[in-house]
Amino acid sequence: MAYRGYHIFVGDLEMPYAPSELTVTIGSNNETVELINGNEINILKNPKLTEIEFEVELPRGRQYAFANTLVSSKTFTDYFEKLMVNKTPTQLVITRPNPFLRSSGIGGTVRDFERTVLTVTLEGYSMEENADNAYDIIVALKFKQYLQYGTS
């Protein structure tokens, strides 16, 4: 379980815990070609779509007072399945406290947050149940950035 100052939302659902680890991959579409003289050059292209992966623990059968949200694990797994089956893009929102940004609010100092907001598709997920984890489920999620497209 990670620091509670982090919050992750998939669509309207807030994850019960922020993951202890989050992987963001931004790849390159650059193309390297070999010239007739044997030299190589790199043809620069737009980057690949951003991919984000993390695992989240979903309480099942009990709710923890220290969780960010109190929602059943079935609500989450049903939502993940719906995103895949309906081929529906959704918003992925990650908020993080920034200790370097502070503003004064009513009653004292309030931390400002950095927000990452991406429209994404759920590319896949897997669920793990383990006797050491009681009834809770660990869900590994893989998202890919979604860009609206069309012809004109």
Side-chain angles (χ1 to χ4, degrees), residues 105-118:
I106 298 172
T109 303
V110 176
R111 286 186 185 213
D112 285 320
F113 287 86
E114 295 176 351
R115 286 173 51 110
T116 300
V117 180
L118 282 174

mmCIF file with all atom_site columns, all heavy atoms in Angstrom, residues 105-118:
data_model
loop_
_atom_site.group_PDB
_atom_site.id
_atom_site.type_symbol
_atom_site.label_atom_id
_atom_site.label_alt_id
_atom_site.label_comp_id
_atom_site.label_asym_id
_atom_site.label_entity_id
_atom_site.label_seq_id
_atom_site.pdbx_PDB_ins_code
_atom_site.Cartn_x
_atom_site.Cartn_y
_atom_site.Cartn_z
_atom_site.occupancy
_atom_site.B_iso_or_equiv
_atom_site.pdbx_formal_charge
_atom_site.auth_seq_id
_atom_site.auth_comp_id
_atom_site.auth_asym_id
_atom_site.auth_atom_id
_atom_site.pdbx_PDB_model_num
ATOM 1   N N   . GLY A 1 105 ? -4.479  27.961 2.492   1.00 0.00 ? 105 GLY A N   1
ATOM 2   C CA  . GLY A 1 105 ? -5.912  27.748 2.386   1.00 0.00 ? 105 GLY A CA  1
ATOM 3   C C   . GLY A 1 105 ? -6.556  28.124 3.712   1.00 0.00 ? 105 GLY A C   1
ATOM 4   O O   . GLY A 1 105 ? -5.890  28.537 4.653   1.00 0.00 ? 105 GLY A O   1
ATOM 5   N N   . ILE A 1 106 ? -7.829  27.962 3.805   1.00 0.00 ? 106 ILE A N   1
ATOM 6   C CA  . ILE A 1 106 ? -8.539  28.276 5.035   1.00 0.00 ? 106 ILE A CA  1
ATOM 7   C C   . ILE A 1 106 ? -8.052  27.333 6.129   1.00 0.00 ? 106 ILE A C   1
ATOM 8   O O   . ILE A 1 106 ? -8.000  26.123 5.947   1.00 0.00 ? 106 ILE A O   1
ATOM 9   C CB  . ILE A 1 106 ? -10.059 28.121 4.824   1.00 0.00 ? 106 ILE A CB  1
ATOM 10  C CG1 . ILE A 1 106 ? -10.522 29.104 3.754   1.00 0.00 ? 106 ILE A CG1 1
ATOM 11  C CG2 . ILE A 1 106 ? -10.815 28.312 6.125   1.00 0.00 ? 106 ILE A CG2 1
ATOM 12  C CD1 . ILE A 1 106 ? -11.941 28.921 3.333   1.00 0.00 ? 106 ILE A CD1 1
ATOM 13  N N   . GLY A 1 107 ? -7.661  27.886 7.234   1.00 0.00 ? 107 GLY A N   1
ATOM 14  C CA  . GLY A 1 107 ? -7.245  27.071 8.363   1.00 0.00 ? 107 GLY A CA  1
ATOM 15  C C   . GLY A 1 107 ? -5.817  26.569 8.289   1.00 0.00 ? 107 GLY A C   1
ATOM 16  O O   . GLY A 1 107 ? -5.424  25.712 9.041   1.00 0.00 ? 107 GLY A O   1
ATOM 17  N N   . GLY A 1 108 ? -5.021  27.058 7.372   1.00 0.00 ? 108 GLY A N   1
ATOM 18  C CA  . GLY A 1 108 ? -3.622  26.628 7.348   1.00 0.00 ? 108 GLY A CA  1
ATOM 19  C C   . GLY A 1 108 ? -3.117  26.356 5.951   1.00 0.00 ? 108 GLY A C   1
ATOM 20  O O   . GLY A 1 108 ? -3.683  26.805 4.964   1.00 0.00 ? 108 GLY A O   1
ATOM 21  N N   . THR A 1 109 ? -2.037  25.592 5.878   1.00 0.00 ? 109 THR A N   1
ATOM 22  C CA  . THR A 1 109 ? -1.385  25.304 4.610   1.00 0.00 ? 109 THR A CA  1
ATOM 23  C C   . THR A 1 109 ? -1.989  24.065 3.978   1.00 0.00 ? 109 THR A C   1
ATOM 24  O O   . THR A 1 109 ? -2.218  23.063 4.635   1.00 0.00 ? 109 THR A O   1
ATOM 25  C CB  . THR A 1 109 ? 0.128   25.086 4.838   1.00 0.00 ? 109 THR A CB  1
ATOM 26  O OG1 . THR A 1 109 ? 0.644   26.244 5.470   1.00 0.00 ? 109 THR A OG1 1
ATOM 27  C CG2 . THR A 1 109 ? 0.842   24.859 3.543   1.00 0.00 ? 109 THR A CG2 1
ATOM 28  N N   . VAL A 1 110 ? -2.228  24.128 2.687   1.00 0.00 ? 110 VAL A N   1
ATOM 29  C CA  . VAL A 1 110 ? -2.799  23.017 1.928   1.00 0.00 ? 110 VAL A CA  1
ATOM 30  C C   . VAL A 1 110 ? -1.819  22.654 0.818   1.00 0.00 ? 110 VAL A C   1
ATOM 31  O O   . VAL A 1 110 ? -1.295  23.529 0.144   1.00 0.00 ? 110 VAL A O   1
ATOM 32  C CB  . VAL A 1 110 ? -4.161  23.417 1.311   1.00 0.00 ? 110 VAL A CB  1
ATOM 33  C CG1 . VAL A 1 110 ? -4.705  22.306 0.454   1.00 0.00 ? 110 VAL A CG1 1
ATOM 34  C CG2 . VAL A 1 110 ? -5.140  23.803 2.406   1.00 0.00 ? 110 VAL A CG2 1
ATOM 35  N N   . ARG A 1 111 ? -1.575  21.368 0.633   1.00 0.00 ? 111 ARG A N   1
ATOM 36  C CA  . ARG A 1 111 ? -0.686  20.939 -0.439  1.00 0.00 ? 111 ARG A CA  1
ATOM 37  C C   . ARG A 1 111 ? -1.380  21.096 -1.783  1.00 0.00 ? 111 ARG A C   1
ATOM 38  O O   . ARG A 1 111 ? -2.563  20.814 -1.921  1.00 0.00 ? 111 ARG A O   1
ATOM 39  C CB  . ARG A 1 111 ? -0.314  19.473 -0.278  1.00 0.00 ? 111 ARG A CB  1
ATOM 40  C CG  . ARG A 1 111 ? 0.659   19.243 0.813   1.00 0.00 ? 111 ARG A CG  1
ATOM 41  C CD  . ARG A 1 111 ? 1.075   17.792 0.797   1.00 0.00 ? 111 ARG A CD  1
ATOM 42  N NE  . ARG A 1 111 ? 1.921   17.590 1.951   1.00 0.00 ? 111 ARG A NE  1
ATOM 43  C CZ  . ARG A 1 111 ? 2.922   16.770 1.999   1.00 0.00 ? 111 ARG A CZ  1
ATOM 44  N NH1 . ARG A 1 111 ? 3.210   16.041 0.959   1.00 0.00 ? 111 ARG A NH1 1
ATOM 45  N NH2 . ARG A 1 111 ? 3.645   16.644 3.072   1.00 0.00 ? 111 ARG A NH2 1
ATOM 46  N N   . ASP A 1 112 ? -0.608  21.517 -2.766  1.00 0.00 ? 112 ASP A N   1
ATOM 47  C CA  . ASP A 1 112 ? -1.105  21.522 -4.130  1.00 0.00 ? 112 ASP A CA  1
ATOM 48  C C   . ASP A 1 112 ? -0.785  20.177 -4.760  1.00 0.00 ? 112 ASP A C   1
ATOM 49  O O   . ASP A 1 112 ? 0.179   19.522 -4.388  1.00 0.00 ? 112 ASP A O   1
ATOM 50  C CB  . ASP A 1 112 ? -0.463  22.656 -4.934  1.00 0.00 ? 112 ASP A CB  1
ATOM 51  C CG  . ASP A 1 112 ? -1.045  24.006 -4.572  1.00 0.00 ? 112 ASP A CG  1
ATOM 52  O OD1 . ASP A 1 112 ? -2.258  24.070 -4.374  1.00 0.00 ? 112 ASP A OD1 1
ATOM 53  O OD2 . ASP A 1 112 ? -0.278  24.972 -4.478  1.00 0.00 ? 112 ASP A OD2 1
ATOM 54  N N   . PHE A 1 113 ? -1.575  19.775 -5.712  1.00 0.00 ? 113 PHE A N   1
ATOM 55  C CA  . PHE A 1 113 ? -1.420  18.473 -6.333  1.00 0.00 ? 113 PHE A CA  1
ATOM 56  C C   . PHE A 1 113 ? -1.064  18.620 -7.795  1.00 0.00 ? 113 PHE A C   1
ATOM 57  O O   . PHE A 1 113 ? -1.518  19.522 -8.479  1.00 0.00 ? 113 PHE A O   1
ATOM 58  C CB  . PHE A 1 113 ? -2.724  17.675 -6.211  1.00 0.00 ? 113 PHE A CB  1
ATOM 59  C CG  . PHE A 1 113 ? -2.977  17.191 -4.818  1.00 0.00 ? 113 PHE A CG  1
ATOM 60  C CD1 . PHE A 1 113 ? -3.606  17.992 -3.890  1.00 0.00 ? 113 PHE A CD1 1
ATOM 61  C CD2 . PHE A 1 113 ? -2.575  15.929 -4.442  1.00 0.00 ? 113 PHE A CD2 1
ATOM 62  C CE1 . PHE A 1 113 ? -3.838  17.539 -2.596  1.00 0.00 ? 113 PHE A CE1 1
ATOM 63  C CE2 . PHE A 1 113 ? -2.798  15.468 -3.149  1.00 0.00 ? 113 PHE A CE2 1
ATOM 64  C CZ  . PHE A 1 113 ? -3.429  16.274 -2.231  1.00 0.00 ? 113 PHE A CZ  1
ATOM 65  N N   . GLU A 1 114 ? -0.236  17.701 -8.260  1.00 0.00 ? 114 GLU A N   1
ATOM 66  C CA  . GLU A 1 114 ? 0.013   17.552 -9.683  1.00 0.00 ? 114 GLU A CA  1
ATOM 67  C C   . GLU A 1 114 ? -1.001  16.541 -10.183 1.00 0.00 ? 114 GLU A C   1
ATOM 68  O O   . GLU A 1 114 ? -1.278  15.546 -9.517  1.00 0.00 ? 114 GLU A O   1
ATOM 69  C CB  . GLU A 1 114 ? 1.427   17.024 -9.928  1.00 0.00 ? 114 GLU A CB  1
ATOM 70  C CG  . GLU A 1 114 ? 2.514   17.970 -9.495  1.00 0.00 ? 114 GLU A CG  1
ATOM 71  C CD  . GLU A 1 114 ? 3.895   17.350 -9.672  1.00 0.00 ? 114 GLU A CD  1
ATOM 72  O OE1 . GLU A 1 114 ? 4.001   16.140 -9.960  1.00 0.00 ? 114 GLU A OE1 1
ATOM 73  O OE2 . GLU A 1 114 ? 4.865   18.093 -9.509  1.00 0.00 ? 114 GLU A OE2 1
ATOM 74  N N   . ARG A 1 115 ? -1.553  16.794 -11.349 1.00 0.00 ? 115 ARG A N   1
ATOM 75  C CA  . ARG A 1 115 ? -2.548  15.879 -11.918 1.00 0.00 ? 115 ARG A CA  1
ATOM 76  C C   . ARG A 1 115 ? -2.091  15.416 -13.285 1.00 0.00 ? 115 ARG A C   1
ATOM 77  O O   . ARG A 1 115 ? -1.645  16.210 -14.095 1.00 0.00 ? 115 ARG A O   1
ATOM 78  C CB  . ARG A 1 115 ? -3.893  16.576 -12.088 1.00 0.00 ? 115 ARG A CB  1
ATOM 79  C CG  . ARG A 1 115 ? -4.648  16.813 -10.825 1.00 0.00 ? 115 ARG A CG  1
ATOM 80  C CD  . ARG A 1 115 ? -5.878  17.656 -11.071 1.00 0.00 ? 115 ARG A CD  1
ATOM 81  N NE  . ARG A 1 115 ? -6.713  17.160 -12.138 1.00 0.00 ? 115 ARG A NE  1
ATOM 82  C CZ  . ARG A 1 115 ? -7.905  16.616 -11.964 1.00 0.00 ? 115 ARG A CZ  1
ATOM 83  N NH1 . ARG A 1 115 ? -8.400  16.516 -10.766 1.00 0.00 ? 115 ARG A NH1 1
ATOM 84  N NH2 . ARG A 1 115 ? -8.606  16.180 -12.977 1.00 0.00 ? 115 ARG A NH2 1
ATOM 85  N N   . THR A 1 116 ? -2.231  14.125 -13.531 1.00 0.00 ? 116 THR A N   1
ATOM 86  C CA  . THR A 1 116 ? -2.046  13.556 -14.859 1.00 0.00 ? 116 THR A CA  1
ATOM 87  C C   . THR A 1 116 ? -3.416  13.083 -15.300 1.00 0.00 ? 116 THR A C   1
ATOM 88  O O   . THR A 1 116 ? -4.058  12.308 -14.587 1.00 0.00 ? 116 THR A O   1
ATOM 89  C CB  . THR A 1 116 ? -1.066  12.362 -14.826 1.00 0.00 ? 116 THR A CB  1
ATOM 90  O OG1 . THR A 1 116 ? 0.192   12.824 -14.348 1.00 0.00 ? 116 THR A OG1 1
ATOM 91  C CG2 . THR A 1 116 ? -0.898  11.750 -16.201 1.00 0.00 ? 116 THR A CG2 1
ATOM 92  N N   . VAL A 1 117 ? -3.866  13.566 -16.443 1.00 0.00 ? 117 VAL A N   1
ATOM 93  C CA  . VAL A 1 117 ? -5.172  13.173 -16.971 1.00 0.00 ? 117 VAL A CA  1
ATOM 94  C C   . VAL A 1 117 ? -4.958  12.680 -18.400 1.00 0.00 ? 117 VAL A C   1
ATOM 95  O O   . VAL A 1 117 ? -4.459  13.427 -19.242 1.00 0.00 ? 117 VAL A O   1
ATOM 96  C CB  . VAL A 1 117 ? -6.176  14.346 -16.963 1.00 0.00 ? 117 VAL A CB  1
ATOM 97  C CG1 . VAL A 1 117 ? -7.516  13.902 -17.524 1.00 0.00 ? 117 VAL A CG1 1
ATOM 98  C CG2 . VAL A 1 117 ? -6.329  14.927 -15.570 1.00 0.00 ? 117 VAL A CG2 1
ATOM 99  N N   . LEU A 1 118 ? -5.308  11.436 -18.647 1.00 0.00 ? 118 LEU A N   1
ATOM 100 C CA  . LEU A 1 118 ? -5.181  10.853 -19.979 1.00 0.00 ? 118 LEU A CA  1
ATOM 101 C C   . LEU A 1 118 ? -6.468  10.139 -20.350 1.00 0.00 ? 118 LEU A C   1
ATOM 102 O O   . LEU A 1 118 ? -7.091  9.492  -19.503 1.00 0.00 ? 118 LEU A O   1
ATOM 103 C CB  . LEU A 1 118 ? -4.065  9.808  -20.016 1.00 0.00 ? 118 LEU A CB  1
ATOM 104 C CG  . LEU A 1 118 ? -2.630  10.268 -20.084 1.00 0.00 ? 118 LEU A CG  1
ATOM 105 C CD1 . LEU A 1 118 ? -1.704  9.064  -19.971 1.00 0.00 ? 118 LEU A CD1 1
ATOM 106 C CD2 . LEU A 1 118 ? -2.351  11.011 -21.363 1.00 0.00 ? 118 LEU A CD2 1
#
